[in-house]
Amino acid sequence: ESPIAGEGSVFYHLPKIPDMLRNGENIFVIADNGAQQYLYRVTSTQVVHQNEMKLHDTGQANIHLVSCVPSLIYDHRLIVTGELVGVK
């Protein structure tokens, strides 16, 4: 998200997901690579300091979406994790 360049954030609504999960809502992410679509069910979220952020290969078909939180402050990251539930 860049107020200087006037660009929007692809993950603008990502910070709403932790509350949705706490409320028991199912959240799904569709990733489309132009040839196939992948459906993921969000399973967890966490906020970490930028220096503590580590992503690694779990050996599973997971997705990790990462955004700075709060908006326009760049020292913490929200990590949203989902598991693959379908391919189209």
PDB file of all heavy atoms in Angstrom, residues 29-67:
ATOM      1  N   VAL A  29     -10.101 -18.771   0.032  1.00  0.00           N
ATOM      2  CA  VAL A  29      -9.274 -17.982  -0.879  1.00  0.00           C
ATOM      3  C   VAL A  29      -9.203 -18.732  -2.198  1.00  0.00           C
ATOM      4  O   VAL A  29      -8.957 -19.942  -2.213  1.00  0.00           O
ATOM      5  CB  VAL A  29      -7.846 -17.797  -0.310  1.00  0.00           C
ATOM      6  CG1 VAL A  29      -6.948 -17.090  -1.306  1.00  0.00           C
ATOM      7  CG2 VAL A  29      -7.880 -17.064   1.013  1.00  0.00           C
ATOM      8  N   ILE A  30      -9.425 -18.021  -3.296  1.00  0.00           N
ATOM      9  CA  ILE A  30      -9.267 -18.620  -4.622  1.00  0.00           C
ATOM     10  C   ILE A  30      -8.036 -18.015  -5.268  1.00  0.00           C
ATOM     11  O   ILE A  30      -7.938 -16.794  -5.411  1.00  0.00           O
ATOM     12  CB  ILE A  30     -10.502 -18.359  -5.506  1.00  0.00           C
ATOM     13  CG1 ILE A  30     -11.736 -19.015  -4.893  1.00  0.00           C
ATOM     14  CG2 ILE A  30     -10.263 -18.882  -6.924  1.00  0.00           C
ATOM     15  CD1 ILE A  30     -13.038 -18.669  -5.588  1.00  0.00           C
ATOM     16  N   ALA A  31      -7.098 -18.853  -5.632  1.00  0.00           N
ATOM     17  CA  ALA A  31      -5.896 -18.428  -6.365  1.00  0.00           C
ATOM     18  C   ALA A  31      -6.044 -18.930  -7.796  1.00  0.00           C
ATOM     19  O   ALA A  31      -6.353 -20.097  -8.023  1.00  0.00           O
ATOM     20  CB  ALA A  31      -4.644 -18.996  -5.716  1.00  0.00           C
ATOM     21  N   ASP A  32      -5.824 -18.048  -8.744  1.00  0.00           N
ATOM     22  CA  ASP A  32      -6.023 -18.379 -10.161  1.00  0.00           C
ATOM     23  C   ASP A  32      -4.729 -18.078 -10.907  1.00  0.00           C
ATOM     24  O   ASP A  32      -4.258 -16.943 -10.901  1.00  0.00           O
ATOM     25  CB  ASP A  32      -7.168 -17.533 -10.711  1.00  0.00           C
ATOM     26  CG  ASP A  32      -7.573 -17.909 -12.121  1.00  0.00           C
ATOM     27  OD1 ASP A  32      -6.736 -18.461 -12.872  1.00  0.00           O
ATOM     28  OD2 ASP A  32      -8.723 -17.626 -12.481  1.00  0.00           O
ATOM     29  N   ASN A  33      -4.156 -19.097 -11.539  1.00  0.00           N
ATOM     30  CA  ASN A  33      -2.914 -18.870 -12.286  1.00  0.00           C
ATOM     31  C   ASN A  33      -3.154 -18.778 -13.790  1.00  0.00           C
ATOM     32  O   ASN A  33      -2.215 -18.843 -14.582  1.00  0.00           O
ATOM     33  CB  ASN A  33      -1.880 -19.961 -11.970  1.00  0.00           C
ATOM     34  CG  ASN A  33      -2.276 -21.328 -12.505  1.00  0.00           C
ATOM     35  OD1 ASN A  33      -3.290 -21.493 -13.171  1.00  0.00           O
ATOM     36  ND2 ASN A  33      -1.455 -22.320 -12.196  1.00  0.00           N
ATOM     37  N   GLY A  34      -4.419 -18.645 -14.190  1.00  0.00           N
ATOM     38  CA  GLY A  34      -4.740 -18.538 -15.608  1.00  0.00           C
ATOM     39  C   GLY A  34      -5.057 -19.877 -16.247  1.00  0.00           C
ATOM     40  O   GLY A  34      -5.737 -19.942 -17.261  1.00  0.00           O
ATOM     41  N   ALA A  35      -4.558 -20.943 -15.677  1.00  0.00           N
ATOM     42  CA  ALA A  35      -4.828 -22.282 -16.202  1.00  0.00           C
ATOM     43  C   ALA A  35      -5.701 -23.081 -15.241  1.00  0.00           C
ATOM     44  O   ALA A  35      -6.515 -23.882 -15.675  1.00  0.00           O
ATOM     45  CB  ALA A  35      -3.518 -23.027 -16.450  1.00  0.00           C
ATOM     46  N   GLN A  36      -5.518 -22.867 -13.954  1.00  0.00           N
ATOM     47  CA  GLN A  36      -6.278 -23.574 -12.931  1.00  0.00           C
ATOM     48  C   GLN A  36      -6.634 -22.621 -11.808  1.00  0.00           C
ATOM     49  O   GLN A  36      -5.988 -21.588 -11.632  1.00  0.00           O
ATOM     50  CB  GLN A  36      -5.470 -24.740 -12.352  1.00  0.00           C
ATOM     51  CG  GLN A  36      -5.278 -25.896 -13.306  1.00  0.00           C
ATOM     52  CD  GLN A  36      -4.574 -27.045 -12.627  1.00  0.00           C
ATOM     53  OE1 GLN A  36      -3.454 -26.916 -12.168  1.00  0.00           O
ATOM     54  NE2 GLN A  36      -5.253 -28.177 -12.551  1.00  0.00           N
ATOM     55  N   GLN A  37      -7.653 -23.009 -11.052  1.00  0.00           N
ATOM     56  CA  GLN A  37      -8.014 -22.283  -9.851  1.00  0.00           C
ATOM     57  C   GLN A  37      -7.810 -23.207  -8.653  1.00  0.00           C
ATOM     58  O   GLN A  37      -8.101 -24.401  -8.726  1.00  0.00           O
ATOM     59  CB  GLN A  37      -9.474 -21.828  -9.890  1.00  0.00           C
ATOM     60  CG  GLN A  37      -9.741 -20.760 -10.916  1.00  0.00           C
ATOM     61  CD  GLN A  37     -11.186 -20.304 -10.878  1.00  0.00           C
ATOM     62  OE1 GLN A  37     -12.077 -21.000 -10.415  1.00  0.00           O
ATOM     63  NE2 GLN A  37     -11.417 -19.111 -11.387  1.00  0.00           N
ATOM     64  N   TYR A  38      -7.316 -22.637  -7.569  1.00  0.00           N
ATOM     65  CA  TYR A  38      -7.039 -23.383  -6.352  1.00  0.00           C
ATOM     66  C   TYR A  38      -7.882 -22.791  -5.230  1.00  0.00           C
ATOM     67  O   TYR A  38      -7.878 -21.575  -5.029  1.00  0.00           O
ATOM     68  CB  TYR A  38      -5.556 -23.295  -5.987  1.00  0.00           C
ATOM     69  CG  TYR A  38      -4.671 -23.809  -7.087  1.00  0.00           C
ATOM     70  CD1 TYR A  38      -4.239 -22.965  -8.114  1.00  0.00           C
ATOM     71  CD2 TYR A  38      -4.282 -25.141  -7.127  1.00  0.00           C
ATOM     72  CE1 TYR A  38      -3.435 -23.438  -9.133  1.00  0.00           C
ATOM     73  CE2 TYR A  38      -3.478 -25.623  -8.145  1.00  0.00           C
ATOM     74  CZ  TYR A  38      -3.058 -24.759  -9.149  1.00  0.00           C
ATOM     75  OH  TYR A  38      -2.264 -25.239 -10.165  1.00  0.00           O
ATOM     76  N   LEU A  39      -8.590 -23.626  -4.504  1.00  0.00           N
ATOM     77  CA  LEU A  39      -9.436 -23.186  -3.401  1.00  0.00           C
ATOM     78  C   LEU A  39      -8.773 -23.570  -2.088  1.00  0.00           C
ATOM     79  O   LEU A  39      -8.456 -24.742  -1.864  1.00  0.00           O
ATOM     80  CB  LEU A  39     -10.824 -23.826  -3.504  1.00  0.00           C
ATOM     81  CG  LEU A  39     -11.812 -23.467  -2.398  1.00  0.00           C
ATOM     82  CD1 LEU A  39     -12.172 -21.976  -2.447  1.00  0.00           C
ATOM     83  CD2 LEU A  39     -13.067 -24.324  -2.507  1.00  0.00           C
ATOM     84  N   TYR A  40      -8.558 -22.575  -1.230  1.00  0.00           N
ATOM     85  CA  TYR A  40      -7.954 -22.784   0.080  1.00  0.00           C
ATOM     86  C   TYR A  40      -8.941 -22.389   1.170  1.00  0.00           C
ATOM     87  O   TYR A  40      -9.669 -21.409   1.033  1.00  0.00           O
ATOM     88  CB  TYR A  40      -6.691 -21.924   0.250  1.00  0.00           C
ATOM     89  CG  TYR A  40      -5.580 -22.272  -0.701  1.00  0.00           C
ATOM     90  CD1 TYR A  40      -5.500 -21.682  -1.957  1.00  0.00           C
ATOM     91  CD2 TYR A  40      -4.596 -23.189  -0.332  1.00  0.00           C
ATOM     92  CE1 TYR A  40      -4.469 -22.001  -2.833  1.00  0.00           C
ATOM     93  CE2 TYR A  40      -3.564 -23.515  -1.201  1.00  0.00           C
ATOM     94  CZ  TYR A  40      -3.509 -22.904  -2.446  1.00  0.00           C
ATOM     95  OH  TYR A  40      -2.493 -23.226  -3.300  1.00  0.00           O
ATOM     96  N   ARG A  41      -8.943 -23.142   2.257  1.00  0.00           N
ATOM     97  CA  ARG A  41      -9.725 -22.782   3.443  1.00  0.00           C
ATOM     98  C   ARG A  41      -8.757 -22.203   4.466  1.00  0.00           C
ATOM     99  O   ARG A  41      -7.748 -22.830   4.807  1.00  0.00           O
ATOM    100  CB  ARG A  41     -10.426 -24.008   4.034  1.00  0.00           C
ATOM    101  CG  ARG A  41     -11.308 -23.660   5.247  1.00  0.00           C
ATOM    102  CD  ARG A  41     -12.060 -24.870   5.773  1.00  0.00           C
ATOM    103  NE  ARG A  41     -11.181 -25.936   6.199  1.00  0.00           N
ATOM    104  CZ  ARG A  41     -10.621 -26.017   7.413  1.00  0.00           C
ATOM    105  NH1 ARG A  41     -10.847 -25.093   8.308  1.00  0.00           N
ATOM    106  NH2 ARG A  41      -9.829 -27.023   7.704  1.00  0.00           N
ATOM    107  N   VAL A  42      -9.049 -20.996   4.950  1.00  0.00           N
ATOM    108  CA  VAL A  42      -8.172 -20.348   5.926  1.00  0.00           C
ATOM    109  C   VAL A  42      -8.262 -21.112   7.237  1.00  0.00           C
ATOM    110  O   VAL A  42      -9.348 -21.402   7.738  1.00  0.00           O
ATOM    111  CB  VAL A  42      -8.562 -18.865   6.115  1.00  0.00           C
ATOM    112  CG1 VAL A  42      -7.762 -18.243   7.247  1.00  0.00           C
ATOM    113  CG2 VAL A  42      -8.347 -18.093   4.819  1.00  0.00           C
ATOM    114  N   THR A  43      -7.093 -21.444   7.779  1.00  0.00           N
ATOM    115  CA  THR A  43      -7.027 -22.244   8.999  1.00  0.00           C
ATOM    116  C   THR A  43      -6.468 -21.494  10.201  1.00  0.00           C
ATOM    117  O   THR A  43      -6.749 -21.853  11.337  1.00  0.00           O
ATOM    118  CB  THR A  43      -6.167 -23.502   8.777  1.00  0.00           C
ATOM    119  OG1 THR A  43      -4.868 -23.106   8.327  1.00  0.00           O
ATOM    120  CG2 THR A  43      -6.820 -24.426   7.762  1.00  0.00           C
ATOM    121  N   SER A  44      -5.661 -20.451   9.957  1.00  0.00           N
ATOM    122  CA  SER A  44      -5.078 -19.732  11.093  1.00  0.00           C
ATOM    123  C   SER A  44      -4.549 -18.368  10.664  1.00  0.00           C
ATOM    124  O   SER A  44      -4.343 -18.108   9.476  1.00  0.00           O
ATOM    125  CB  SER A  44      -3.934 -20.538  11.723  1.00  0.00           C
ATOM    126  OG  SER A  44      -2.848 -20.641  10.818  1.00  0.00           O
ATOM    127  N   THR A  45      -4.352 -17.530  11.673  1.00  0.00           N
ATOM    128  CA  THR A  45      -3.717 -16.222  11.460  1.00  0.00           C
ATOM    129  C   THR A  45      -2.779 -15.968  12.627  1.00  0.00           C
ATOM    130  O   THR A  45      -2.963 -16.507  13.717  1.00  0.00           O
ATOM    131  CB  THR A  45      -4.749 -15.074  11.395  1.00  0.00           C
ATOM    132  OG1 THR A  45      -5.408 -14.975  12.658  1.00  0.00           O
ATOM    133  CG2 THR A  45      -5.759 -15.275  10.289  1.00  0.00           C
ATOM    134  N   GLN A  46      -1.783 -15.149  12.372  1.00  0.00           N
ATOM    135  CA  GLN A  46      -0.906 -14.703  13.454  1.00  0.00           C
ATOM    136  C   GLN A  46      -0.261 -13.392  13.053  1.00  0.00           C
ATOM    137  O   GLN A  46      -0.094 -13.104  11.867  1.00  0.00           O
ATOM    138  CB  GLN A  46       0.150 -15.741  13.805  1.00  0.00           C
ATOM    139  CG  GLN A  46       1.234 -15.932  12.754  1.00  0.00           C
ATOM    140  CD  GLN A  46       2.248 -16.965  13.192  1.00  0.00           C
ATOM    141  OE1 GLN A  46       1.961 -18.144  13.158  1.00  0.00           O
ATOM    142  NE2 GLN A  46       3.428 -16.534  13.579  1.00  0.00           N
ATOM    143  N   VAL A  47       0.090 -12.593  14.065  1.00  0.00           N
ATOM    144  CA  VAL A  47       0.799 -11.339  13.849  1.00  0.00           C
ATOM    145  C   VAL A  47       2.179 -11.499  14.472  1.00  0.00           C
ATOM    146  O   VAL A  47       2.308 -11.932  15.620  1.00  0.00           O
ATOM    147  CB  VAL A  47       0.053 -10.143  14.484  1.00  0.00           C
ATOM    148  CG1 VAL A  47       0.878  -8.867  14.367  1.00  0.00           C
ATOM    149  CG2 VAL A  47      -1.314  -9.957  13.833  1.00  0.00           C
ATOM    150  N   VAL A  48       3.211 -11.162  13.695  1.00  0.00           N
ATOM    151  CA  VAL A  48       4.589 -11.260  14.179  1.00  0.00           C
ATOM    152  C   VAL A  48       5.331  -9.976  13.853  1.00  0.00           C
ATOM    153  O   VAL A  48       4.972  -9.255  12.917  1.00  0.00           O
ATOM    154  CB  VAL A  48       5.335 -12.466  13.557  1.00  0.00           C
ATOM    155  CG1 VAL A  48       4.671 -13.771  13.943  1.00  0.00           C
ATOM    156  CG2 VAL A  48       5.431 -12.346  12.061  1.00  0.00           C
ATOM    157  N   HIS A  49       6.369  -9.706  14.617  1.00  0.00           N
ATOM    158  CA  HIS A  49       7.247  -8.574  14.307  1.00  0.00           C
ATOM    159  C   HIS A  49       7.999  -8.900  13.021  1.00  0.00           C
ATOM    160  O   HIS A  49       8.304 -10.069  12.753  1.00  0.00           O
ATOM    161  CB  HIS A  49       8.227  -8.332  15.458  1.00  0.00           C
ATOM    162  CG  HIS A  49       8.996  -7.059  15.299  1.00  0.00           C
ATOM    163  ND1 HIS A  49      10.174  -6.995  14.602  1.00  0.00           N
ATOM    164  CD2 HIS A  49       8.716  -5.805  15.712  1.00  0.00           C
ATOM    165  CE1 HIS A  49      10.615  -5.749  14.608  1.00  0.00           C
ATOM    166  NE2 HIS A  49       9.751  -5.001  15.274  1.00  0.00           N
ATOM    167  N   GLN A  50       8.308  -7.886  12.242  1.00  0.00           N
ATOM    168  CA  GLN A  50       8.975  -8.107  10.955  1.00  0.00           C
ATOM    169  C   GLN A  50      10.255  -8.928  11.091  1.00  0.00           C
ATOM    170  O   GLN A  50      10.594  -9.711  10.207  1.00  0.00           O
ATOM    171  CB  GLN A  50       9.274  -6.784  10.272  1.00  0.00           C
ATOM    172  CG  GLN A  50      10.272  -5.917  11.011  1.00  0.00           C
ATOM    173  CD  GLN A  50      10.505  -4.585  10.329  1.00  0.00           C
ATOM    174  OE1 GLN A  50       9.955  -4.308   9.280  1.00  0.00           O
ATOM    175  NE2 GLN A  50      11.320  -3.746  10.948  1.00  0.00           N
ATOM    176  N   ASN A  51      10.962  -8.782  12.199  1.00  0.00           N
ATOM    177  CA  ASN A  51      12.208  -9.526  12.391  1.00  0.00           C
ATOM    178  C   ASN A  51      11.978 -10.991  12.744  1.00  0.00           C
ATOM    179  O   ASN A  51      12.898 -11.794  12.688  1.00  0.00           O
ATOM    180  CB  ASN A  51      13.046  -8.872  13.489  1.00  0.00           C
ATOM    181  CG  ASN A  51      13.489  -7.476  13.106  1.00  0.00           C
ATOM    182  OD1 ASN A  51      13.586  -7.135  11.930  1.00  0.00           O
ATOM    183  ND2 ASN A  51      13.711  -6.632  14.109  1.00  0.00           N
ATOM    184  N   GLU A  52      10.749 -11.329  13.152  1.00  0.00           N
ATOM    185  CA  GLU A  52      10.435 -12.698  13.547  1.00  0.00           C
ATOM    186  C   GLU A  52       9.709 -13.474  12.450  1.00  0.00           C
ATOM    187  O   GLU A  52       9.394 -14.647  12.634  1.00  0.00           O
ATOM    188  CB  GLU A  52       9.579 -12.687  14.807  1.00  0.00           C
ATOM    189  CG  GLU A  52      10.272 -12.079  16.005  1.00  0.00           C
ATOM    190  CD  GLU A  52       9.337 -11.877  17.176  1.00  0.00           C
ATOM    191  OE1 GLU A  52       8.150 -12.248  17.089  1.00  0.00           O
ATOM    192  OE2 GLU A  52       9.797 -11.325  18.180  1.00  0.00           O
ATOM    193  N   MET A  53       9.445 -12.824  11.327  1.00  0.00           N
ATOM    194  CA  MET A  53       8.696 -13.489  10.268  1.00  0.00           C
ATOM    195  C   MET A  53       9.559 -14.517   9.562  1.00  0.00           C
ATOM    196  O   MET A  53      10.632 -14.210   9.068  1.00  0.00           O
ATOM    197  CB  MET A  53       8.181 -12.490   9.250  1.00  0.00           C
ATOM    198  CG  MET A  53       7.218 -13.130   8.275  1.00  0.00           C
ATOM    199  SD  MET A  53       6.594 -11.996   7.075  1.00  0.00           S
ATOM    200  CE  MET A  53       7.392 -12.661   5.629  1.00  0.00           C
ATOM    201  N   LYS A  54       9.060 -15.749   9.561  1.00  0.00           N
ATOM    202  CA  LYS A  54       9.740 -16.839   8.870  1.00  0.00           C
ATOM    203  C   LYS A  54       8.679 -17.695   8.200  1.00  0.00           C
ATOM    204  O   LYS A  54       7.733 -18.131   8.844  1.00  0.00           O
ATOM    205  CB  LYS A  54      10.542 -17.687   9.849  1.00  0.00           C
ATOM    206  CG  LYS A  54      11.678 -16.950  10.493  1.00  0.00           C
ATOM    207  CD  LYS A  54      12.411 -17.818  11.473  1.00  0.00           C
ATOM    208  CE  LYS A  54      13.484 -16.970  12.137  1.00  0.00           C
ATOM    209  NZ  LYS A  54      13.989 -17.559  13.335  1.00  0.00           N
ATOM    210  N   LEU A  55       8.835 -17.915   6.931  1.00  0.00           N
ATOM    211  CA  LEU A  55       7.968 -18.823   6.197  1.00  0.00           C
ATOM    212  C   LEU A  55       8.825 -19.982   5.721  1.00  0.00           C
ATOM    213  O   LEU A  55       9.958 -19.789   5.307  1.00  0.00           O
ATOM    214  CB  LEU A  55       7.323 -18.117   5.002  1.00  0.00           C
ATOM    215  CG  LEU A  55       6.431 -16.924   5.322  1.00  0.00           C
ATOM    216  CD1 LEU A  55       5.938 -16.280   4.036  1.00  0.00           C
ATOM    217  CD2 LEU A  55       5.265 -17.337   6.191  1.00  0.00           C
ATOM    218  N   HIS A  56       8.283 -21.175   5.795  1.00  0.00           N
ATOM    219  CA  HIS A  56       9.051 -22.348   5.375  1.00  0.00           C
ATOM    220  C   HIS A  56       8.122 -23.341   4.698  1.00  0.00           C
ATOM    221  O   HIS A  56       6.900 -23.301   4.866  1.00  0.00           O
ATOM    222  CB  HIS A  56       9.767 -22.990   6.562  1.00  0.00           C
ATOM    223  CG  HIS A  56       8.850 -23.316   7.708  1.00  0.00           C
ATOM    224  ND1 HIS A  56       8.154 -24.483   7.771  1.00  0.00           N
ATOM    225  CD2 HIS A  56       8.505 -22.606   8.802  1.00  0.00           C
ATOM    226  CE1 HIS A  56       7.416 -24.496   8.870  1.00  0.00           C
ATOM    227  NE2 HIS A  56       7.603 -23.364   9.514  1.00  0.00           N
ATOM    228  N   ASP A  57       8.698 -24.218   3.950  1.00  0.00           N
ATOM    229  CA  ASP A  57       7.952 -25.249   3.259  1.00  0.00           C
ATOM    230  C   ASP A  57       7.487 -26.283   4.274  1.00  0.00           C
ATOM    231  O   ASP A  57       8.289 -26.877   4.982  1.00  0.00           O
ATOM    232  CB  ASP A  57       8.831 -25.911   2.194  1.00  0.00           C
ATOM    233  CG  ASP A  57       8.099 -26.929   1.361  1.00  0.00           C
ATOM    234  OD1 ASP A  57       6.898 -27.196   1.614  1.00  0.00           O
ATOM    235  OD2 ASP A  57       8.715 -27.468   0.433  1.00  0.00           O
ATOM    236  N   THR A  58       6.173 -26.486   4.350  1.00  0.00           N
ATOM    237  CA  THR A  58       5.616 -27.439   5.296  1.00  0.00           C
ATOM    238  C   THR A  58       5.485 -28.829   4.696  1.00  0.00           C
ATOM    239  O   THR A  58       5.131 -29.775   5.392  1.00  0.00           O
ATOM    240  CB  THR A  58       4.222 -26.982   5.766  1.00  0.00           C
ATOM    241  OG1 THR A  58       3.352 -26.958   4.632  1.00  0.00           O
ATOM    242  CG2 THR A  58       4.280 -25.622   6.419  1.00  0.00           C
ATOM    243  N   GLY A  59       5.733 -28.918   3.379  1.00  0.00           N
ATOM    244  CA  GLY A  59       5.547 -30.185   2.705  1.00  0.00           C
ATOM    245  C   GLY A  59       4.083 -30.457   2.382  1.00  0.00           C
ATOM    246  O   GLY A  59       3.735 -31.537   1.915  1.00  0.00           O
ATOM    247  N   GLN A  60       3.228 -29.476   2.654  1.00  0.00           N
ATOM    248  CA  GLN A  60       1.802 -29.601   2.382  1.00  0.00           C
ATOM    249  C   GLN A  60       1.389 -28.513   1.397  1.00  0.00           C
ATOM    250  O   GLN A  60       2.123 -27.566   1.157  1.00  0.00           O
ATOM    251  CB  GLN A  60       1.008 -29.469   3.677  1.00  0.00           C
ATOM    252  CG  GLN A  60       1.365 -30.528   4.698  1.00  0.00           C
ATOM    253  CD  GLN A  60       0.678 -30.282   6.024  1.00  0.00           C
ATOM    254  OE1 GLN A  60       0.109 -29.240   6.265  1.00  0.00           O
ATOM    255  NE2 GLN A  60       0.753 -31.269   6.902  1.00  0.00           N
ATOM    256  N   ALA A  61       0.199 -28.650   0.845  1.00  0.00           N
ATOM    257  CA  ALA A  61      -0.308 -27.669  -0.126  1.00  0.00           C
ATOM    258  C   ALA A  61      -0.999 -26.533   0.620  1.00  0.00           C
ATOM    259  O   ALA A  61      -2.217 -26.442   0.677  1.00  0.00           O
ATOM    260  CB  ALA A  61      -1.267 -28.344  -1.096  1.00  0.00           C
ATOM    261  N   ASN A  62      -0.200 -25.666   1.244  1.00  0.00           N
ATOM    262  CA  ASN A  62      -0.704 -24.531   2.011  1.00  0.00           C
ATOM    263  C   ASN A  62      -0.468 -23.230   1.269  1.00  0.00           C
ATOM    264  O   ASN A  62       0.364 -23.159   0.363  1.00  0.00           O
ATOM    265  CB  ASN A  62      -0.017 -24.451   3.379  1.00  0.00           C
ATOM    266  CG  ASN A  62      -0.395 -25.591   4.284  1.00  0.00           C
ATOM    267  OD1 ASN A  62      -1.419 -26.222   4.106  1.00  0.00           O
ATOM    268  ND2 ASN A  62       0.446 -25.860   5.257  1.00  0.00           N
ATOM    269  N   ILE A  63      -1.201 -22.210   1.688  1.00  0.00           N
ATOM    270  CA  ILE A  63      -0.980 -20.863   1.179  1.00  0.00           C
ATOM    271  C   ILE A  63      -0.731 -19.964   2.381  1.00  0.00           C
ATOM    272  O   ILE A  63      -1.316 -20.174   3.451  1.00  0.00           O
ATOM    273  CB  ILE A  63      -2.189 -20.377   0.346  1.00  0.00           C
ATOM    274  CG1 ILE A  63      -1.856 -19.095  -0.396  1.00  0.00           C
ATOM    275  CG2 ILE A  63      -3.436 -20.237   1.199  1.00  0.00           C
ATOM    276  CD1 ILE A  63      -2.923 -18.688  -1.410  1.00  0.00           C
ATOM    277  N   HIS A  64       0.161 -18.995   2.227  1.00  0.00           N
ATOM    278  CA  HIS A  64       0.437 -18.023   3.279  1.00  0.00           C
ATOM    279  C   HIS A  64       0.308 -16.636   2.658  1.00  0.00           C
ATOM    280  O   HIS A  64       1.051 -16.301   1.727  1.00  0.00           O
ATOM    281  CB  HIS A  64       1.846 -18.193   3.858  1.00  0.00           C
ATOM    282  CG  HIS A  64       2.099 -19.552   4.417  1.00  0.00           C
ATOM    283  ND1 HIS A  64       1.612 -19.963   5.633  1.00  0.00           N
ATOM    284  CD2 HIS A  64       2.766 -20.609   3.908  1.00  0.00           C
ATOM    285  CE1 HIS A  64       1.981 -21.208   5.850  1.00  0.00           C
ATOM    286  NE2 HIS A  64       2.682 -21.625   4.815  1.00  0.00           N
ATOM    287  N   LEU A  65      -0.628 -15.852   3.157  1.00  0.00           N
ATOM    288  CA  LEU A  65      -0.825 -14.481   2.697  1.00  0.00           C
ATOM    289  C   LEU A  65      -0.253 -13.564   3.767  1.00  0.00           C
ATOM    290  O   LEU A  65      -0.534 -13.731   4.952  1.00  0.00           O
ATOM    291  CB  LEU A  65      -2.313 -14.194   2.483  1.00  0.00           C
ATOM    292  CG  LEU A  65      -3.057 -15.195   1.595  1.00  0.00           C
ATOM    293  CD1 LEU A  65      -4.533 -14.863   1.562  1.00  0.00           C
ATOM    294  CD2 LEU A  65      -2.466 -15.226   0.205  1.00  0.00           C
ATOM    295  N   VAL A  66       0.557 -12.588   3.363  1.00  0.00           N
ATOM    296  CA  VAL A  66       1.269 -11.741   4.316  1.00  0.00           C
ATOM    297  C   VAL A  66       0.975 -10.281   4.013  1.00  0.00           C
ATOM    298  O   VAL A  66       1.028  -9.845   2.860  1.00  0.00           O
ATOM    299  CB  VAL A  66       2.797 -11.985   4.240  1.00  0.00           C
ATOM    300  CG1 VAL A  66       3.534 -11.092   5.224  1.00  0.00           C
ATOM    301  CG2 VAL A  66       3.114 -13.447   4.488  1.00  0.00           C
ATOM    302  N   SER A  67       0.671  -9.523   5.072  1.00  0.00           N
ATOM    303  CA  SER A  67       0.398  -8.101   4.927  1.00  0.00           C
ATOM    304  C   SER A  67       0.947  -7.363   6.139  1.00  0.00           C
ATOM    305  O   SER A  67       1.033  -7.930   7.234  1.00  0.00           O
ATOM    306  CB  SER A  67      -1.119  -7.868   4.829  1.00  0.00           C
ATOM    307  OG  SER A  67      -1.397  -6.507   4.649  1.00  0.00           O
TER     308      SER A  67
END
